């Protein structure tokens, strides 16, 4: 084969490999739930440390978020419910909204936000997707939020991964 073809094939392979999750990524099927959740929080706080443009809105750097057990519980419960009942919405099958689930978990919030995602296989992939979406990015960068909770659940088939991120500002 000509040398040009080998270089083309090598470049194409490198691009294909860079699209998937790397071995160091916090991949849902390879890492514990706690490790994946911690990596999401780390990536979110890294994003908050630098200013970001979320669509047309510019956000200055914001303080890091603290992990809340109650927000983790609310996020995990919603992720599991979506996986079990096979739906993908902010409104729960019981009619609950994010603020309802957060209150039910015991978190006393004056402000609540939620990001959800379906399909990403790693913490890096899901956070990159949220940061590329103006509304999700705005939730991540909102300086009024002080706490975060992350939930992830898998459905019965490969690739059915449900992510929930709850944000709160305590009373």
């Amino acid at each position: 084969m000509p040398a040009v073809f080998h270089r083309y094939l090598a470049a194409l392979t490198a691009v294909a490999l860079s699209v998937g999750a790397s071995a160091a990524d916090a991949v849902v099927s390879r890492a514990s739930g706690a490790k994946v959740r911690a990596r999401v929080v780390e990536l979110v706080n890294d994003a908050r440390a630098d200013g970001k443009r979320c669509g047309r809105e510019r956000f200055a750097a914001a303080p890091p978020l603290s992990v809340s057990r109650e927000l983790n519980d609310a996020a995990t419960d919603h992720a599991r419910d979506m996986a079990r009942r096979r739906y993908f919405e902010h409104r729960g099958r019981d009619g609950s909204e994010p603020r309802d689930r957060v209150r039910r978990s015991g978190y006393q919030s004056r402000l609540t936000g939620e990001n959800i995602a379906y399909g990403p296989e790693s913490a890096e992939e899901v956070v990159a997707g949220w940061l590329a979406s103006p509304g999700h990015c705005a939730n991540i960068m909102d300086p009024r939020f002080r706490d975060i909770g992350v939930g992830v659940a898998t459905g019965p088939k490969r690739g059915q991964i449900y992510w929930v991120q709850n944000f709160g500002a305590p009373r």
Side-chain angles (χ1 to χ4, degrees):
M1 288 189 219
V4 172
F5 178 75
H6 285 288
R7 284 194 302 271
Y8 173 76
L9 186 57
L12 185 60
T13 301
V15 169
L17 291 174
S18 70
V19 172
S22 75
D25 288 351
V27 177
V28 172
S29 63
R30 291 197 307 246
S32 72
K35 180 180 177 184
V36 170
R37 286 192 309 273
R39 182 67 176 143
V40 168
V41 173
E42 178 184 8
L43 293 167
V44 164
N45 281 333
D46 287 350
R48 287 172 65 91
D50 302 325
K52 289 273 181 268
R53 179 173 294 284
C54 301
R56 294 182 181 193
E57 192 172 1
R58 177 83 181 134
F59 287 86
L65 297 168
S66 298
V67 175
S68 160
R69 182 185 52 79
E70 294 87 0
L71 292 179
N72 271 345
D73 290 347
T76 298
D77 288 349
H78 188 52
R80 287 178 179 161
D81 189 56
M82 288 191 295
R84 184 175 48 255
R85 297 182 185 198
R86 296 183 183 147
Y87 72 98
F88 179 67
E89 297 176 32
H90 289 284
R91 179 182 289 258
R93 284 293 187 238
D94 62 357
S96 64
E97 295 293 337
R99 69 180 172 275
D100 302 322
R101 293 186 294 274
V102 164
R103 284 187 191 130
R104 195 168 34 205
S105 76
Y107 186 90
Q108 298 302 311
S109 182
R110 65 179 168 77
L111 180 66
T112 302
E114 180 177 87
N115 287 343
I116 61 175
Y118 175 80
E121 295 184 2
S122 70
E124 290 77 9
E125 187 180 356
V126 74
V127 172
W130 283 329
L131 289 172
S133 165
H136 296 99
C137 179
N139 274 344
I140 289 171
M141 296 303 298
D142 191 326
R144 297 174 298 172
F145 291 129
R146 296 289 181 240
D147 298 315
I148 187 173
V150 178
V152 62
T154 55
K157 295 183 182 173
R158 180 171 158 62
Q160 292 181 330
I161 303 171
Y162 296 82
W163 299 82
V164 178
Q165 193 176 49
N166 286 137
F167 301 94
R171 289 182 194 209

